[in-house]
Amino acid sequence: MKLVIINGRVIDPSQNLDGNCTVFVENGVIRDVAKAKRSTNGYEIIDAKGAIVSPGFIDVHTHLREPGFEYREDIASGSKAAVAGGFTTIFCMANTNPVNDNASVTQMIVKKAEEVGLLNIFPVGAVSKGLKGVELAEIGEMVKSGCVAISDDGKPVMSGRLMRHALEYAKTFKIPVVVHEEDLSLAEGGCMNEGRISTELGLKGSPAAAEETMIQRDILLSKLVGHHVHFQHVTTATGIDMIRQAKKQGIPVTCEVTPHHLVLNDEACRGYNTNAKVNPPLRTTKDCQALIKALNDGTVDCLATDHAPHAHDEKNVGMDEANAGLLGMETALPVLLKLVHNKQVSLKRLIYLLTVGPAKIFKLKTGSLKKGWPADMTIFDPNLSNTIDAEKFYSKSRNTPFHGWKLKGKVLHTICGGKVVYA
């Protein structure tokens, strides 16, 4: 199959490329990215006039809920949501039922993802059996079956001894340990950020220290073992500065932040808005500003959505009882472009954090439009007005705090392996 994208502004940070170019695709790979006019005879044409053509977005933190929680999401609906959001590669977490802590579950996820066939889906296996934090999962077998990292995401690895062993095992398989940082004893009972707003609402909060103490522990363990720790959804000014200082010391750590932790703070919980209940919780304006600064100074390595679907009756309860989490993949681009339109981050840097950044962390051959690489691309209009409507989501769930927001930016085409998977 031959495909050509014409008239678009191609931004590919991996090649420091920004200009009007024509992208030629043949047999699923990039054949050329050309500035000069060339014949397009024999090619199927996509006219990207007025749009941005970038490498396909990568989301290293999603929950597809299959197996076990298909009423919230499954691999098919999650795939459709992903490509509608411009993603061509996603990682799905292990907190399924049964937990992805052994080869058979990993193989089932890989097989189902191949059957759906819309984008690249890589499973992340559990650190511990059953996410119980007691005994290591079958790491070697999961890696052989397709897992690209291990994580007990949704739960922290509270045992420092087990975390050390996980790092030692992961080191032999050359995969990172991906961590959700939360000291459960400090966070116990908290359903939002601990601070002035939680006090006003009469809700128990989770302090920033619950996240920060675990970040510091795992920086020390990363240094001790000499292996890669990737910090998920960092939310606090102190936590991100700890990671900044660790990087300066050459400790092998990387981190991600989410769109919602950049643009929302704990004020969003007013009205007991359960769609703003996430874990880790939305923090303060000062924390948001620190995260945005870290986007620009290189401390943050990538953006990730923590896409977490929940059914209506799991959110339509009190704040204490509601499940934590929100949908992310279908709103990520317009929410993040808000930062660009506000001149808080450049468009090129934003694309880097959605493409090159995650590809580097996990050593993926994607996130670039280099000749001969897989033809994974996202074509989007950064200025097209877009009102978020949860009822139009491809996801099975509707839990978003962004419903009704008027933003700019919309995905027009998503191309994976040279095939148009969303238009």
Side-chain angles (χ1 to χ4, degrees):
M1 179 181 174
K2 298 168 75 171
L3 179 68
V4 64
I5 297 95
I6 62 172
N7 296 325
R9 176 185 169 192
V10 177
I11 301 180
D12 179 6
S14 77
Q15 305 180 81
N16 198 27
L17 181 63
D18 183 352
N20 292 323
C21 299
T22 303
V23 183
F24 293 87
V25 174
E26 290 185 12
N27 300 320
V29 300
I30 303 292
R31 181 183 174 225
D32 199 7
V33 180
K35 287 191 175 179
K37 281 192 175 181
R38 287 175 44 180
S39 172
T40 56
N41 288 342
Y43 286 84
E44 180 183 337
I45 296 174
I46 293 177
D47 190 341
K49 187 176 182 180
I52 306 295
V53 181
S54 84
F57 299 159
I58 302 167
D59 189 352
V60 299
H61 189 170
T62 75
H63 299 269
L64 296 183
R65 304 302 195 197
E66 186 176 1
F69 303 102
E70 288 86 350
Y71 64 95
R72 299 175 184 166
E73 193 80 286
D74 58 32
I75 291 171
S77 64
S79 295
K80 292 176 184 174
V83 298
F87 294 96
T88 55
T89 297
I90 61 173
F91 290 9
C92 57
M93 295 297 130
N95 57 344
T96 50
N97 185 20
V99 170
N100 182 15
D101 59 5
N102 62 80
S104 62
V105 178
T106 304
Q107 290 163 4
M108 186 285 289
I109 293 170
V110 170
K111 183 173 182 291
K112 186 68 181 287
E114 289 174 352
E115 288 172 356
V116 173
L118 285 178
L119 76 163
N120 310 304
I121 297 178
F122 295 112
V124 173
V127 169
S128 65
K129 291 184 178 178
L131 307 179
K132 294 179 179 176
V134 176
E135 185 179 359
L136 284 180
E138 298 173 10
I139 297 171
E141 295 301 315
M142 290 190 296
V143 172
K144 286 180 186 174
S145 299
C147 284
V148 294
I150 53 172
S151 176
D152 274 0
D153 177 46
K155 294 183 177 180
V157 180
M158 285 302 297
S159 165
R161 182 171 175 271
L162 189 76
M163 182 64 184
R164 176 182 180 173
H165 288 166
L167 280 165
E168 291 166 343
Y169 270 89
K171 189 175 183 179
T172 67
F173 296 106
K174 300 179 180 177
I175 58 168
V177 180
V178 177
V179 288
H180 166 114
E181 299 295 43
E182 181 184 17
D183 183 314
L184 295 177
S185 63
L186 286 170
E188 185 177 5
C191 61
M192 63 174 294
N193 182 54
E194 180 180 291
R196 180 176 58 86
I197 308 299
S198 66
T199 301
E200 290 179 12
L201 294 177
L203 296 171
K204 184 170 172 51
S206 175
E211 182 178 335
E212 293 155 356
T213 54
M214 295 291 281
I215 289 175
Q216 192 59 58
R217 184 202 72 175
D218 288 339
I219 287 172
L220 293 171
L221 288 175
S222 175
K223 182 180 180 180
L224 175 67
V225 178
H227 190 55
H228 182 182
V229 171
H230 175 74
F231 295 100
Q232 298 178 299
H233 45 38
V234 179
T235 69
T236 78
T238 300
I240 201 70
D241 192 51
M242 288 175 177
I243 294 167
R244 180 182 290 116
Q245 299 309 319
K247 287 184 166 192
K248 286 179 180 176
Q249 296 174 46
I251 299 171
V253 296
T254 55
C255 71
E256 70 192 36
V257 296
T258 73
H260 51 277
H261 286 116
L262 290 165
V263 304
L264 294 174
N265 58 42
D266 52 1
E267 292 276 357
C269 295
R270 287 195 184 278
Y272 303 94
N273 178 10
T274 57
N275 281 328
K277 181 179 178 182
V278 289
N279 188 20
L282 302 172
R283 302 292 186 184
T284 66
T285 300
K286 179 183 173 185
D287 293 306
C288 294
Q289 291 169 346
L291 296 180
I292 291 169
K293 178 184 176 185
L295 290 184
N296 289 302
D297 71 11
T299 304
V300 173
D301 299 273
C302 72
L303 293 157
T305 69
D306 192 10
H307 176 82
H310 291 292
H312 177 74
D313 60 359
E314 294 171 328
K315 282 291 194 181
N316 191 29
V317 291
M319 283 288 279
D320 288 333
E321 295 82 22
N323 286 359
L326 55 76
L327 300 177
M329 293 192 289
E330 293 180 75
T331 57
L333 179 68
V335 168
L336 290 168
L337 282 170
K338 181 177 169 66
L339 300 175
V340 175
H341 293 303
N342 290 343
K343 301 187 184 309
Q344 293 167 292
V345 65
S346 71
L347 181 58
K348 185 177 178 181
R349 179 66 184 162
L350 182 69
I351 291 173
Y352 176 97
L353 292 165
L354 287 166
T355 59
V356 183
K360 274 188 174 180
I361 296 169
F362 294 95
K363 300 179 176 60
L364 305 174
K365 189 176 179 180
T366 186
S368 172
L369 300 179
K370 292 175 185 171
K371 194 182 297 186
W373 280 47
D376 296 348
M377 281 175 277
T378 306
I379 303 173
F380 64 94
D381 186 333
N383 297 308
L384 192 62
S385 295
N386 181 14
T387 300
I388 304 296
D389 184 351
E391 296 306 316
K392 294 181 179 178
F393 284 169
Y394 288 88
S395 173
K396 286 185 178 181
S397 295
R398 297 290 177 264
N399 51 300
T400 176
F402 299 117
H403 177 70
W405 278 38
K406 294 180 180 178
L407 298 166
K408 288 183 178 178
K410 187 171 177 54
V411 174
L412 304 178
H413 294 83
T414 305
I415 298 166
C416 187
K419 182 174 74 173
V420 178
V421 291
Y422 173 78

